[in-house]
């Protein structure tokens, strides 16, 4: 796959017509696989490559998308980030692993990465904070995503408001972060507490953890949206990936 510079040089040398060059440049941006139209230009355009959402896709489809993205990585090895798949069950990973022997499965996060994790782009770090142990799967999705995108991450787990002294014991770590991801289920109060104690952006993630009236995370979501603490941004229920993506953009600005 020729680079943009090589294509332009061919046009300048008269070896390629502008029309053919335009077609080639457009073709280089996507990989049409029949079942998917893979965006190969996303890292150049947005800073991070396309991420594969594993739920609802077959193992064969995921392998095809990974291989298409891998070919793009080969053409730009110095800037390529690992290929990340989220919401991937252990059974589905076992089915696709023979075709992707270098893939790494992060069981708690239910994520898969292909490619070497990059060195952090900055000494600043993202703090991933959870209210309870049950929130860890969402927290690990956030942490793995952030690390895959070249961030330092510090985990502060199980410091919810039911034992708020645990949070105070970790305040130095949380306050030292460039951006804080707060993950909580039940009533979701932890985001408001942290938001009132730090001077950094807080990204709140409601989780579906809790008894009946938590309504699969709706109660935590509404609590976080109605927080009286300033500087809190809220993402969708259980969306550790989305929180980490935004945190990565902030941390690397």
């Amino acid at each position: 796959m020729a680079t943009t510079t090589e294509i332009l040089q061919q046009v300048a040398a008269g070896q390629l017509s502008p029309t053919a060059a335009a077609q080639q440049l457009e073709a280089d941006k996507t990989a049409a696989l029949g079942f998917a139209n893979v965006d190969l230009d996303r890292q150049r355009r947005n800073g991070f490559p396309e991420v594969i959402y594993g739920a609802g896709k077959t193992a064969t489809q995921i392998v095809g998308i990974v291989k298409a993205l891998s070919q793009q990585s080969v053409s730009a090895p110095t800037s390529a980030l690992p290929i990340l798949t989220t919401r991937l069950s252990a059974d589905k990973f076992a089915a696709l692993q023979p075709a992707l022997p270098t893939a790494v499965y992060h069981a708690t996060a239910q994520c898969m990465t292909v490619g070497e994790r990059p060195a952090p782009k900055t000494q600043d770090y993202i703090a991933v904070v959870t209210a309870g142990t049950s929130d860890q799967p969402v927290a690990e999705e956030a942490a793995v995503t952030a690390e895959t995108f070249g961030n330092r991450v510090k985990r502060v787990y199980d410091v919810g408001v039911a034992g708020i002294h645990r949070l105070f014991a970790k305040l130095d770590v949380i306050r030292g972060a460039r951006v804080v991801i707060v993950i909580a289920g039940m009533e979701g109060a932890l985001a408001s507490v942290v938001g009132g104690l730090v001077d950094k952006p807080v990204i709140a993630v409601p989780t579906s953890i809790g008894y009946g009236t938590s309504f699969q995370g709706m109660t935590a979501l509404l609590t976080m949206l109605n927080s009286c603490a300033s500087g809190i941004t809220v993402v969708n229920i259980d969306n550790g990936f989305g929180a980490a993506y935004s945190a990565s953009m902030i941390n690397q600005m």
Side-chain angles (χ1 to χ4, degrees), residues 87 106-111 126-147 153-159 181-185 190 203 205-209 237-245:
R87 301 302 167 95
H106 309 269
T108 303
Q110 288 197 307
C111 291
I126 298 168
V128 179
V129 183
T130 73
T133 302
S134 296
D135 299 312
Q136 280 193 24
V138 177
E140 280 301 301
E141 180 182 83
V144 169
T145 298
E147 290 170 340
V153 173
K154 293 192 179 183
R155 294 161 169 83
V156 181
Y157 289 175
D158 195 23
V159 292
I181 298 174
V182 179
I183 300 168
L190 183 62
I203 302 175
V205 187
T207 73
S208 53
I209 299 301
I237 297 168
D238 292 336
N239 191 8
F241 162 76
Y245 194 107

Side-chain angles (χ1 to χ4, degrees), residues 103-174:
V104 176
Y105 188 61
H106 309 269
T108 303
Q110 288 197 307
C111 291
M112 176 183 74
T113 51
V114 177
E116 187 175 349
R117 181 174 288 176
K121 297 180 180 180
T122 173
Q123 287 303 303
D124 292 324
Y125 64 87
I126 298 168
V128 179
V129 183
T130 73
T133 302
S134 296
D135 299 312
Q136 280 193 24
V138 177
E140 280 301 301
E141 180 182 83
V144 169
T145 298
E147 290 170 340
T148 299
F149 287 166
N151 300 279
R152 294 176 65 218
V153 173
K154 293 192 179 183
R155 294 161 169 83
V156 181
Y157 289 175
D158 195 23
V159 292
V161 298
I164 203 165
H165 58 287
R166 301 171 299 174
L167 175 68
F168 297 149
K170 297 290 186 178
L171 268 183
D172 286 349
V173 175
I174 297 169

Side-chain angles (χ1 to χ4, degrees), residues 156-237:
V156 181
Y157 289 175
D158 195 23
V159 292
V161 298
I164 203 165
H165 58 287
R166 301 171 299 174
L167 175 68
F168 297 149
K170 297 290 186 178
L171 268 183
D172 286 349
V173 175
I174 297 169
R175 284 173 167 162
R178 178 81 183 275
V179 55
V180 183
I181 298 174
V182 179
I183 300 168
M186 300 290 188
E187 85 291 6
L190 183 62
S192 292
V193 174
V194 172
L197 293 171
V198 302
D199 62 351
K200 307 296 169 54
V202 174
I203 302 175
V205 187
T207 73
S208 53
I209 299 301
Y211 292 105
T213 55
S214 70
F215 298 112
Q216 292 79 51
M218 284 298 300
T219 297
L221 173 64
L222 293 174
T223 297
M224 292 171 174
L225 287 171
N226 284 285
S227 175
C228 64
S230 302
I232 296 177
T233 299
V234 186
V235 298
N236 206 351
I237 297 168

Side-chain angles (χ1 to χ4, degrees), residues 42-94:
R42 193 169 303 180
Q43 183 171 340
R44 182 201 63 78
R45 193 176 68 246
N46 290 359
F48 303 116
E50 181 172 358
V51 173
I52 303 165
Y53 181 71
K57 293 183 178 68
T58 67
T60 300
Q61 289 171 337
I62 293 170
V63 169
I65 296 169
V66 169
K67 288 186 174 180
L69 291 169
S70 296
Q71 291 173 1
Q72 178 73 358
S73 297
V74 169
S75 70
T78 57
S79 60
L81 289 169
I83 299 164
L84 174 65
T85 302
T86 65
R87 301 302 167 95
L88 184 70
S89 68
D91 290 344
K92 196 174 291 184
F93 174 74

